[in-house]
Amino acid sequence: MVSSANAHAAAGRRPLVVGNWKMNGTRVSCVELLAGLRAAGPFDAEVSVCCPFPYLADVALSLQGSGIGWGAQDCSQHEPGAYTGEVAAVMLAEFGCRHVIVGHSERRLHHAESDTLVADKARLALSHGLTPIVCVGETRAERDAGSTELVVKRQLSAVIHTLGHCVSQIVVAYEPVWAIGTGLTATPQQAQAVHAVLRAQLLAASTRAGEMRLLYGGSVNAGNAQELFAQPDIDGALVGGASLKVADFSAICRAASHVALGSIGKSRT
Ligand code: PEP
């Protein structure tokens, strides 16, 4: 049997760990956090942090030349213009952003973002050279009603409809809403089952879907990361709370790096 670590490598999928700082931190604490993260690296997995908009310039300065990427937590579905309070994807590109999260459940919930709006944001991000990290996931009530598959497929299908075969250029994050910030994590088997559904849906849309990174998010921490990353269709994580602590986030990045090296436990050379 091919080990799951080899399964990721064989498909050409370099694990990716993305920190979502949400609306946390100060200018000083962000720079301190990044100095610690730089010192803990380099990592064989790809690592990126998505910070609040006002900190982008500081984050770019702190991470320049480190190999660690940076990005934002949202962007507008519009090109620049009369949209008070919005931030355009092209502006994020100016700050060297590599990633932008779109469709996080907190935005779907608190800002009533629809599946089509999220898809439009992903399209704009891609058109400006950013990699959108598109979040999908079911609520507790939807899981209890047996609708998990229906919900995540509906959310992803809006993105596939808008992007067509270019969907292979995005990253998808499966984030069960009930696991975000709650300390409850989907079991590796529960997460893998949904990732397999998403991978199959993507494969029907793009011949390159085998190379796409599908991240799991929802209370990932230093203790559960390795088991999640050992699943064949889990290619990394979107990390909220634990990304604010250097020791925890770097441990998650190291766990993903072991997968990147093609063998859990093999040390970097
Ligand atoms: C998130 O905000 O995307 C997230 C997964 O948060 P946490 O890791 O805190 O559950």
Side-chain angles (χ1 to χ4, degrees):
M1 196 179 103
V2 180
S3 81
S4 54
N6 288 340
H8 297 101
R13 303 196 298 258
R14 184 182 178 205
L16 169 64
V17 179
V18 179
N20 173 15
W21 289 357
K22 310 196 187 195
M23 197 171 70
N24 289 300
T26 63
R27 284 187 80 173
V28 171
S29 72
C30 290
V31 171
E32 281 172 6
L33 178 58
L34 294 177
L37 191 58
R38 276 192 84 135
F43 304 105
D44 289 292
E46 184 179 355
V47 175
S48 188
V49 292
C50 291
C51 66
F53 295 128
Y55 301 149
L56 270 174
D58 288 336
V59 169
L61 214 60
S62 297
L63 290 179
Q64 208 81 55
S66 68
I68 298 170
W70 59 90
Q73 300 165 21
D74 185 35
C75 68
S76 173
Q77 73 274 30
H78 301 293
E79 294 290 10
Y83 299 101
T84 303
E86 294 286 296
V87 175
V90 68
M91 296 171 178
L92 300 179
E94 252 193 295
F95 281 86
C97 288
R98 197 186 286 175
H99 297 106
V100 58
I101 299 169
V102 295
H104 191 282
S105 62
E106 287 153 13
R107 293 213 58 91
R108 291 181 190 261
L109 178 68
H110 303 307
H111 301 270
E113 293 199 356
S114 67
D115 297 339
T116 51
L117 178 84
V118 171
D120 285 340
K121 290 183 174 199
R123 182 175 51 76
L124 253 285
L126 268 186
S127 74
H128 291 290
L130 304 169
T131 299
I133 299 170
V134 178
C135 302
V136 300
E138 82 288 1
T139 63
R140 178 85 258 171
E142 288 164 340
R143 174 162 282 266
D144 290 346
S147 315
T148 298
E149 197 171 313
L150 205 73
V151 170
V152 298
K153 283 172 93 170
R154 188 204 72 222
Q155 292 170 331
L156 186 57
S157 100
V159 180
I160 291 171
H161 179 76
T162 298
L163 301 184
H165 63 88
C166 291
V167 76
S168 64
Q169 295 168 37
I170 73 169
V171 168
V172 175
Y174 167 56
E175 298 209 308
V177 180
W178 50 271
I180 297 178
T182 58
L184 299 170
T185 316
T187 65
Q189 294 71 28
Q190 282 175 322
Q192 166 58 29
V194 178
H195 280 231
V197 165
L198 296 172
R199 178 87 64 199
Q201 188 180 3
L202 289 162
L203 277 167
S206 166
T207 50
R208 309 204 65 171
E211 298 158 32
M212 290 177 66
R213 271 96 56 95
L214 309 187
L215 312 183
Y216 169 77
S219 300
V220 175
N221 59 44
N224 59 25
Q226 184 157 324
E227 217 192 330
L228 285 160
F229 298 157
Q231 301 302 311
D233 286 297
I234 299 181
D235 308 304
L238 181 54
V239 184
S243 72
L244 297 168
K245 297 175 201 132
V246 172
D248 293 11
F249 191 57
S250 47
I252 295 167
C253 297
R254 274 194 297 276
S257 296
H258 290 155
V259 177
L261 287 164
S263 146
I264 307 269
K266 184 174 156 188
S267 60
R268 195 167 189 276
T269 51

